[in-house]
Amino acid sequence: MTVEHTADVGDVSVPPTLRRDLEAVLMVVDQPVSEYDLARAMDVPLDAVTRTLEELSGEYTAQGRGFDLRAVAEGWRVYTRPECADIVEHFLREGQEVRLTQAALETMAVVAYRQPVSRGRVSAVRGVNCDGVMRTLVLRGLIEEAGHDSESGALLYRTTSYFLERLGLRGLDELPDLAPFLPDDIEGLDDTGEHT
């Protein structure tokens, strides 16, 4: 374990949290970040950022971590180690087979039967905010964006061909009748879930 301390580079003091802060930023970026951009954002000297990044990269390698900090042409970024590629690929592939939660199943059913439908309408039918569940369904490829509502401008969603494939259906017309289970006054709700 490395003990962090404040170091002086010229007249500028380097914060003891520089290592932590660099790691935090590099964990959330989806593209390499230059040393210059990191130094400017953290208001520390460029050479302190460069030295710290090199130290972190060396430590990750020496410790045999599953990730690596690499300098590429555009900057620095965290990557999965090549020797871990098979297990990561297996995990991601199997992750697609994970069973959906009750909330996800309910949300997907609303989208399937009411499509194209806004998040507000889905939330109104379910009675709870479903933004997170909708994002999960989009990431899993079960629903997708289907344009905007001409009146409210709300983003609309529909099911995908992958949804049909997973359910073994040729088309939406093969969905079983669900109308008896939906609220009677669903037509009276606007995209915010309020009665019109």
Side-chain angles (χ1 to χ4, degrees):
M1 180 179 220
T2 304
V3 177
E4 296 187 45
H5 57 340
T6 302
D8 289 324
V9 179
D11 294 323
V12 181
S13 178
V14 177
T17 59
L18 180 59
R19 295 168 60 83
R20 179 200 68 192
D21 296 345
L22 287 170
E23 287 178 324
V25 169
L26 291 168
M27 286 294 176
V28 298
V29 297
D30 59 356
Q31 295 184 23
V33 182
S34 73
E35 296 165 7
Y36 174 78
D37 288 338
L38 290 166
R40 188 179 48 146
M42 296 180 187
D43 196 28
V44 295
L46 179 62
D47 59 339
V49 168
T50 302
R51 184 177 60 247
T52 304
L53 290 169
E54 289 169 352
E55 289 172 2
L56 287 170
S57 179
E59 287 174 21
Y60 297 159
T61 299
Q63 294 169 359
R65 300 276 181 106
F67 55 90
D68 188 16
L69 178 59
R70 289 188 226 153
V72 291
E74 302 85 20
W76 290 80
R77 184 170 177 206
V78 174
Y79 292 89
T80 302
R81 288 204 183 277
E83 55 269 28
C84 298
D86 290 342
I87 191 67
V88 171
E89 181 181 341
H90 176 74
F91 174 79
L92 292 175
R93 192 172 48 246
E94 291 301 312
Q96 295 299 315
E97 304 299 323
V98 173
R99 296 179 64 108
L100 295 174
T101 64
Q102 184 67 32
L105 290 170
E106 291 171 8
T107 301
M108 196 167 58
V110 174
V111 173
Y113 284 94
R114 302 294 302 169
Q115 63 186 303
V117 63
S118 69
R119 286 183 189 199
R121 178 63 61 95
V122 174
S123 294
V125 170
R126 290 202 55 238
V128 296
N129 183 314
C130 63
D131 290 351
V133 176
M134 295 283 284
R135 279 192 296 274
T136 298
L137 294 173
V138 169
L139 288 173
R140 290 201 177 173
L142 295 167
I143 64 173
E144 64 188 0
E145 294 179 4
H148 290 85
D149 182 23
S150 59
E151 292 179 18
S152 68
L155 188 58
L156 300 174
Y157 293 88
R158 66 179 173 220
T159 55
T160 63
S161 56
Y162 179 66
F163 165 81
L164 294 173
E165 177 187 327
R166 297 300 296 162
L167 290 180
L169 304 174
R170 286 182 296 230
L172 293 173
D173 56 331
E174 292 186 356
L175 285 170
D177 186 18
L178 189 63
F181 302 104
L182 295 176
D184 294 333
D185 62 348
I186 191 169
E187 294 304 327
L189 298 174
D190 65 15
D191 287 328
T192 65
E194 298 295 321
H195 287 278
T196 56

